[in-house]
Amino acid sequence: MTGGEPSDGGAARGDRVRYLPYRPGPDPLAPPFDTARALRGLGRRVFDGKRPHQALRDLLRQGVDGIPGTDELLRQVRERRGQAARRGGLDGVHRRARAELDRAVELELRALADDPSDDARVRESELASLPRDTAAALRHLLAGPYPWRSDEARETVARLLEEVRNDLVDARLGRSEAWRAHSPDPAGVAAMATALAALLEADARGEPVDLDRFMAEHGAFFPEFAGRPGTLDDVAEALARRAAAARAHASSLNPDRRAELEGLLGEAAREAGLAEALDRLADALLRRRPDLVREAFAEVDGPGDLGLAEAVDLIEELADLDELARALEGGPDGVDPAAAERLLGPGAAEAVGRLAEVEPRLRGAGLLTGGRSRPRLTPQAVRRLGEAALRGLATGRRGHRSGGHGLAQERGVGTAGTARPDAGDPGATVPWEPGSPAPLDAVATVRAAVVRRAADPQAPLLSPEDVRTAEAEERAAAAVCLLVDLSSSMVRGGLFGPAREAALALYTLVGARYPQDAVRVVGFDETARPLSAAELLEPAGPRVQGSNVQHALLLAREHFGRHPGRAPVAVLVTDGEPTAHLGRDGSPEFAWPPRPETAEKTEAELDALAAMGAAVTLIVPGGGGEAGALAQAVTGRGGQVIRTEDETLGVKVIDAYTSRRSGR
């Protein structure tokens, strides 16, 4: 991708266009962040019983709004790390150096073979007895020094020493062009390393340092600071990470290989005291940044022979990947986008940046409040989650429609998922039902047909499901009580979240479409208690055994008693038989298998509700055949039983409410 920029007056005059190099960054065509989708993802986890901070953490781990989460980024880190660890062995410098030395010895032996003198035989014997330790062999040859007969052999050894010396500089100071330009001058590198070590040591003692003077003498090693002020920390930062990687490389070798490496480097860098200067600088850097000390990487192995600088590059990359993984495990806030881009690419950096914006955006939209460690959902968030739940149930209901009960868009929730201002007006529409005396609503019918054909242009122009009728005047107000089992069996069955979401959707529907109705949600396990809309999003408490249906029905009866004259609507959601009841002292009594007394007290409450004209609708989620005795007790008193799969639980709850309150 390229970018054009007009010059000398702009493209309007036909001037030339200057093309700039592509720079990766955020996609300018990416859709804006969807706060509503993020809230829904957060809400699903809260419905399942997580605290808001746990739900937010899980949301960021799994991703939101098309953004890969930290779990996916961690997977990429581990994959990249595995590939890097198999790139090559850490002791390739030994094999390379030994191969070059063996080549020099072979060239020398060829030169000596044509010489019949005793001196030639002595030299052949000396070469044959060289130690296998490359550093020791070089030390022996250089100590004399050995009088080479072969010029090519002498040049091979000299080149070997220069390559190892340059590799050492690259390994300790980095592989930038600036360092490579100075590698042939060991005296200049040693002088810079000694001066920088002295600055760091003086600063550690609290003494003043003259960084300007250092940069005036050695600034060519640091071109990134040319023309701008820098601090001693700026200069030391990259070198400290490199020094830590070099130390980790050495500690990753077995003791014999480490000793051989130190000897080889010592022989190659003996000139101008380079080895001592680099060791002093490394010590000063790591004293300044002890947090960068790396563990050994003994698991690194591969078919390639890496040079010393390549091996240190690999160690530095592995250490950076480990550091990135630790940061990702703590959440996106602590991740350096630059590190993510360097190690995983621009897509990862963009993902980290967008994930870090999720919580601030939710707070900015007024959906989260409280401290960073303990965020809380605001009333606005609760309201919007209820609207989203109801909108989702409306979609699900259209896919499972078995009757003609109005919901969501047809009963007071607009297409954007918010309550219509005229939610309670007689002008609302409902799907047409055969035999309905209500007049047709032509505008609503055409609108429904257009929406349907937009999704499927090949569909018929008009379908019976498009037909809408004007809803008659509101029927009498109702008192509705939704009784939701929140016991441990519901949690184990994955029904806890869907049940709470259905309850919040009911609150939203009543507020939007039937504000004259008195609604109450009762949650029960070993005991029963009323739950407000906000309490439906409270963190789940400890799992409690027992389904005290009797206590829940008692609270429903009390609710109906406080609202005489309103049609009583009772909807009970439970996945099994009652296993608890209230004892004579009012405390709960749980037993498994259930005691006959539990069933007797539960049926007594059903009788009391029937006497008030309240027929119970029992919804058994999970698609199983539980609650057999309870189902018989409900149907024997004029109620009905609905068995449903988990994904249609909310739809069945809303249908049960709308059907009962309208007398269907």
Side-chain angles (χ1 to χ4, degrees):
M1 180 177 179
T2 59
E5 178 180 299
S7 60
D8 300 328
R13 292 167 44 189
D15 293 345
R16 292 177 301 169
V17 174
R18 181 162 58 92
Y19 290 92
L20 303 176
Y22 168 71
R23 290 183 177 86
D27 183 359
L29 301 179
F33 181 80
D34 191 339
T35 306
R37 182 181 295 183
L39 178 63
R40 290 196 298 272
L42 190 67
R44 282 195 299 273
R45 293 159 176 84
V46 172
F47 280 129
D48 287 336
K50 294 185 180 296
R51 297 179 181 274
H53 75 277
Q54 296 169 327
L56 184 61
R57 181 193 60 201
D58 289 355
L59 184 70
L60 297 178
R61 285 182 53 193
Q62 296 168 21
V64 58
D65 196 22
I67 309 168
T70 55
D71 280 357
E72 168 59 21
L73 297 177
L74 274 169
R75 186 198 64 77
Q76 295 179 26
V77 167
R78 295 185 181 110
E79 181 179 5
R80 173 73 179 270
R81 195 187 190 286
Q83 294 170 350
R86 296 187 295 272
R87 193 178 302 159
L90 296 180
D91 60 350
V93 62
H94 303 88
R95 289 191 286 270
R96 290 184 181 183
R98 189 71 215 188
E100 285 298 295
L101 181 60
D102 289 345
R103 179 172 177 273
V105 169
E106 179 65 25
L107 291 170
E108 179 68 4
L109 289 174
R110 289 178 187 175
L112 294 173
D114 295 334
D115 184 352
S117 68
D118 291 341
D119 180 64
R121 304 291 80 76
V122 170
R123 294 189 185 188
E124 287 175 344
S125 176
E126 180 181 0
L127 294 174
S129 61
L130 286 175
R132 288 305 303 169
D133 183 315
T134 306
L138 285 171
R139 190 178 306 115
H140 178 84
L141 293 172
L142 297 174
Y146 176 82
W148 297 95
R149 288 282 185 89
S150 167
D151 292 337
E152 187 177 359
R154 181 188 307 104
E155 293 169 359
T156 298
V157 171
R159 186 169 59 251
L160 164 62
L161 292 172
E162 181 179 359
E163 289 176 353
V164 172
R165 182 172 61 245
N166 294 342
D167 209 12
L168 170 63
V169 173
D170 285 351
R172 294 290 187 88
L173 302 178
R175 292 161 60 78
S176 68
E177 292 300 324
W179 297 114
R180 290 180 176 179
H182 292 80
S183 294
D185 179 17
V189 175
M192 185 282 303
T194 300
L196 182 54
L199 279 184
L200 294 169
E201 291 162 355
D203 189 62
R205 294 191 298 267
E207 300 173 3
V209 296
D210 191 349
L211 182 60
D212 292 338
R213 179 179 177 182
F214 171 82
M215 294 300 292
E217 295 178 1
H218 306 288
F221 286 93
F222 305 93
E224 64 270 29
F225 295 110
R228 69 177 182 89
T231 67
L232 189 57
D233 284 334
D234 294 334
V235 174
E237 176 64 24
L239 298 184
R241 302 182 75 86
R242 195 70 180 177
R247 290 283 173 90
H249 168 259
S251 63
S252 300
L253 302 173
N254 65 52
D256 291 341
R257 281 297 197 188
R258 184 161 57 249
E260 185 176 351
L261 175 64
E262 291 172 354
L264 176 61
L265 297 178
E267 292 302 322
R270 179 178 299 172
E271 183 180 357
L274 180 59
E276 293 80 1
L278 292 176
D279 285 342
R280 179 183 174 186
L281 176 58
D283 289 340
L285 289 167
L286 294 181
R287 281 195 299 269
R288 191 178 189 87
R289 290 293 308 276
D291 57 299
L292 293 177
V293 174
R294 310 296 192 188
E295 300 293 334
F297 291 84
E299 82 279 12
V300 178
D301 194 16
D305 283 343
L306 302 178
L308 180 60
E310 293 171 325
V312 173
D313 285 344
L314 175 57
I315 292 294
E316 189 170 18
E317 180 180 349
L318 292 174
D320 288 346
L321 286 167
D322 289 346
E323 187 174 317
L324 178 58
R326 287 191 295 271
L328 285 168
E329 288 170 352
D333 287 345
V335 179
D336 179 6
E341 180 172 355
R342 184 178 71 254
L343 296 168
L344 299 179
E350 182 179 359
V352 166
R354 296 185 69 186
L355 287 174
E357 292 179 358
V358 170
E359 182 175 353
R361 286 181 179 271
L362 289 172
R363 289 180 179 275
L367 303 174
L368 280 182
T369 187
R372 293 295 300 275
S373 61
R374 286 293 184 270
R376 300 190 308 275
L377 293 171
T378 65
Q380 179 186 353
V382 174
R383 182 175 64 255
R384 290 180 60 177
L385 285 173
E387 293 167 353
L390 186 57
R391 185 167 61 250
L393 295 185
T395 303
R397 187 185 180 283
R398 285 193 290 272
H400 297 86
R401 186 182 301 278
S402 59
H405 314 309
L407 180 65
Q409 282 179 262
E410 298 137 350
R411 309 212 70 159
V413 175
T415 56
T418 57
R420 289 204 327 238
D422 62 341
D425 292 346
T429 62
V430 295
W432 171 75
E433 296 180 14
S436 171
L440 295 180
D441 187 317
V443 174
T445 298
V446 171
R447 183 190 305 115
V450 170
V451 170
R452 178 180 52 78
R453 279 180 52 80
D456 183 8
Q458 304 302 318
L461 288 176
L462 188 65
S463 171
E465 68 183 80
D466 301 327
V467 180
R468 298 292 188 270
T469 62
E471 187 174 22
E473 292 289 337
E474 286 294 328
R475 298 175 177 87
V480 58
C481 199
L482 174 62
L483 314 173
V484 181
D485 189 347
L486 301 178
S487 63
S488 57
S489 63
M490 293 281 286
V491 176
R492 289 194 303 270
L495 304 170
F496 187 78
R500 299 212 299 179
E501 188 172 10
L504 186 60
L506 176 63
Y507 268 126
T508 304
L509 176 62
V510 172
R513 182 68 184 97
Y514 305 104
Q516 74 278 19
D517 284 1
V519 61
R520 187 183 210 187
V521 173
V522 172
F524 65 92
D525 40 44
E526 191 178 47
T527 59
R529 61 273 183 195
L531 297 173
S532 67
E535 287 171 333
L536 288 169
L537 294 170
E538 288 293 320
R543 296 183 181 182
V544 179
Q545 287 185 319
S547 294
N548 197 333
V549 177
Q550 179 240 342
H551 192 192
L553 294 172
L554 172 62
L555 295 183
R557 181 159 56 87
E558 292 176 352
H559 177 62
F560 298 148
R562 284 194 293 270
H563 299 281
R566 302 196 188 197
V569 177
V571 181
L572 170 62
V573 178
T574 183
D575 63 340
E577 297 290 345
T579 57
H581 64 272
L582 296 181
R584 292 184 178 181
D585 61 353
S587 60
E589 297 182 7
F590 165 76
W592 180 260
R595 299 205 306 262
E597 184 181 1
T598 299
E600 293 170 2
K601 286 184 174 272
T602 302
E603 291 175 7
E605 287 297 336
L606 287 171
D607 289 334
L609 286 173
M612 301 177 71
V616 175
T617 298
L618 171 62
I619 299 178
V620 183
E626 298 296 330
L630 178 61
Q632 292 179 8
V634 168
T635 56
R637 291 162 177 81
Q640 68 175 127
V641 177
I642 301 172
R643 302 185 187 278
T644 181
E645 298 295 337
D646 307 350
E647 62 270 15
T648 60
L649 172 59
V651 172
K652 298 302 183 184
V653 166
I654 299 300
D655 274 354
Y657 161 62
T658 56
S659 297
R660 283 294 186 182
R661 81 170 311 279
S662 61
R664 286 191 289 260

